[in-house]
Amino acid sequence: MEYRYLGNSGLKVSAIGLGSWVTFAGQIDAATAADCMRVAFEHGINFFDVAESHSGGQAEIDMGLAIRKHNWKRSDFVISTKIFWGGKGPNDRGLSRKHIIEGLSASLNRLQLDYVDIVYAQRPDIDTPMEETVRAFSWCIDKGMALYWGTSEWPAYLVTEAIAVAKRLGLIEPIVEQPQYNMFHRDRVEKEYLPLYDIHKLGITTWSPLASGVLTGKYNNGTIPPNARLAIQDHPVMNRLRAGFFSEEGRRKVEKVKMLVRIAQKLKITPAQLSIAWCLKNPRVSSVITGASKPSQVEENVQAIRYVHLLTDEVMAEIETVLSNRPDPAFNFRHS
């Protein structure tokens, strides 16, 4: 396993992480989740990601149970959670001081941990003053509830505003963003955030490297297997992705995946490993958060770290020809 610094900090996270979204307490039970975490840890993964919103908090409970079951030393793992959607009450969502502090306290109780290494603001909250949000996360760190804080799916201008507010008030700055990043979803990581890397040394921990399984090739015959993520019902994100899959754009993506599968076959790796290695090839990425519904998927995914070197300039050019979606490298966010 390779370990990378998280942005402009001294914290080292495994280049491949394991997350709980959709799988923990959704597709898999607590015992299987514990097995996946054990296999991940045995292969050098030290970074585990969850959120208060994942399965209504049950994912945090299951992750905490797994940690205690395996009796890991606290310094040997890095865990992050995210705050925004904590319930149905008027103060159970958003980034008010009240919800950040109460939401993180509830997460720690479910995880049965004294602190998390990273707490993310899972989405921006346009209804709460930025100063209130920054003060609340700084307070949580000062009180030992978290060691670092970051954002997830924030536009660059709001990340910049949060950093500026922290600097002006002498508070703790966010050091990391958690955006979606894969071969079909590139603009934010490769274009919009460029000044954040260069000016603020922002780190990123990316999610959905397989585009909810599309990049594995499992949907290449035009149907959705019953045990696949896109088959999950009554999930707003999966409902939207499933509708997109059957659109004209979705059909074009499947045709591209078929060509990517052939590239993976030439390299003698799986399409999933190709997709994760492609994300790891980006030096801005601190960690690629993967998901798994069984230990064998963890084992397959973690091997991607061994295959990054196979993505030579020639292979990357071949992939770009297939994708035809590379963001304009001349983009400069500061002058847009």
Side-chain angles (χ1 to χ4, degrees):
M1 179 54 65
E2 175 188 344
Y3 299 91
R4 301 180 178 182
Y5 286 106
L6 186 68
N8 192 29
S9 80
L11 179 65
K12 290 183 178 180
V13 293
S14 51
I16 297 175
L18 180 66
S20 67
W21 183 56
V22 178
T23 52
F24 282 41
Q27 289 182 302
I28 60 177
D29 60 19
T32 305
D35 286 342
C36 287
M37 290 181 66
R38 173 184 54 79
V39 171
F41 193 79
E42 289 171 351
H43 283 81
I45 289 177
N46 76 340
F47 179 39
F48 300 93
D49 180 75
V50 68
E52 67 170 353
S53 61
H54 292 179
S55 297
Q58 187 63 43
E60 289 178 318
I61 293 173
D62 289 359
M63 190 169 285
L65 288 171
I67 289 169
R68 290 191 302 282
K69 177 180 179 180
H70 302 315
N71 197 29
W72 294 335
K73 187 170 67 173
R74 186 62 184 87
S75 59
D76 285 344
F77 66 91
V78 175
I79 191 165
S80 62
T81 195
K82 294 177 282 293
I83 302 299
F84 193 91
W85 292 290
K88 297 181 179 180
N91 287 307
D92 288 335
R93 60 177 296 156
L95 298 177
S96 67
R97 182 181 181 91
K98 179 175 177 64
H99 180 55
I100 289 172
I101 293 172
E102 293 177 347
L104 182 54
S105 295
S107 289
L108 293 176
N109 285 335
R110 287 189 290 267
L111 288 163
Q112 296 193 38
L113 292 174
D114 295 328
Y115 64 91
V116 290
D117 298 274
I118 311 156
V119 58
Y120 294 93
Q122 191 166 11
R123 292 296 185 275
D125 182 355
I126 61 173
D127 297 319
T128 299
M130 185 65 76
E131 181 175 327
E132 178 178 346
T133 294
V134 175
R135 283 190 182 278
F137 280 115
S138 292
W139 187 90
C140 289
I141 292 174
D142 287 340
K143 295 299 181 181
M145 300 167 71
L147 304 184
Y148 306 89
W149 80 279
T151 60
S152 181
E153 294 293 344
W154 280 34
Y157 78 93
L158 286 180
V159 178
T160 302
E161 181 183 349
I163 292 172
V165 167
K167 287 183 180 294
R168 175 170 58 84
L169 298 175
L171 300 172
I172 298 169
E173 302 172 26
I175 64 164
V176 60
E177 229 290 328
Q178 188 176 114
Q180 181 180 178
Y181 184 51
N182 55 60
M183 290 183 182
F184 292 142
H185 198 99
R186 306 174 60 177
D187 280 15
R188 176 158 277 177
V189 168
E190 296 184 20
K191 185 169 75 171
E192 183 182 336
Y193 287 165
L194 284 178
L196 297 179
Y197 310 135
D198 296 338
I199 298 172
H200 301 294
K201 311 301 180 186
L202 188 78
I204 55 173
T205 58
T206 63
W207 60 277
S208 196
L210 306 181
S212 294
V214 173
L215 287 163
T216 67
K218 69 171 65 175
Y219 307 122
N220 280 3
N221 64 359
T223 61
I224 298 176
N227 61 341
R229 284 194 175 192
L230 291 187
I232 298 174
Q233 302 296 318
D234 300 323
H235 190 291
V237 177
M238 292 304 119
N239 291 344
R240 174 173 53 82
L241 292 176
R242 187 166 53 251
F245 174 75
F246 291 109
S247 68
E248 182 59 35
E249 181 184 359
R251 286 189 286 271
R252 287 196 296 268
K253 286 181 178 180
V254 168
E255 292 306 311
K256 291 182 178 182
V257 173
K258 290 177 181 178
M259 291 184 278
L260 293 170
V261 168
R262 289 195 285 271
I263 294 174
Q265 289 171 340
K266 286 192 295 184
L267 298 176
K268 298 182 179 179
I269 61 179
T270 69
Q273 290 165 342
L274 175 69
S275 300
I276 295 169
W278 181 89
C279 294
L280 291 167
K281 188 80 172 177
N282 186 335
R284 305 294 192 181
V285 173
S286 302
S287 184
V288 176
I289 300 171
T290 59
S293 58
K294 51 189 175 183
S296 61
Q297 288 181 339
V298 177
E299 293 177 342
E300 176 187 351
N301 292 341
V302 78
Q303 296 304 318
I305 195 72
R306 301 173 55 192
Y307 304 132
V308 177
H309 74 281
L310 297 178
L311 274 60
T312 61
D313 291 345
E314 291 76 15
V315 172
M316 292 296 285
E318 187 177 0
I319 292 172
E320 290 293 357
T321 300
V322 171
L323 297 176
S324 299
N325 64 354
R326 185 173 185 173
D328 181 359
F331 175 84
N332 189 327
F333 184 81
R334 286 167 288 184
H335 299 126
S336 62

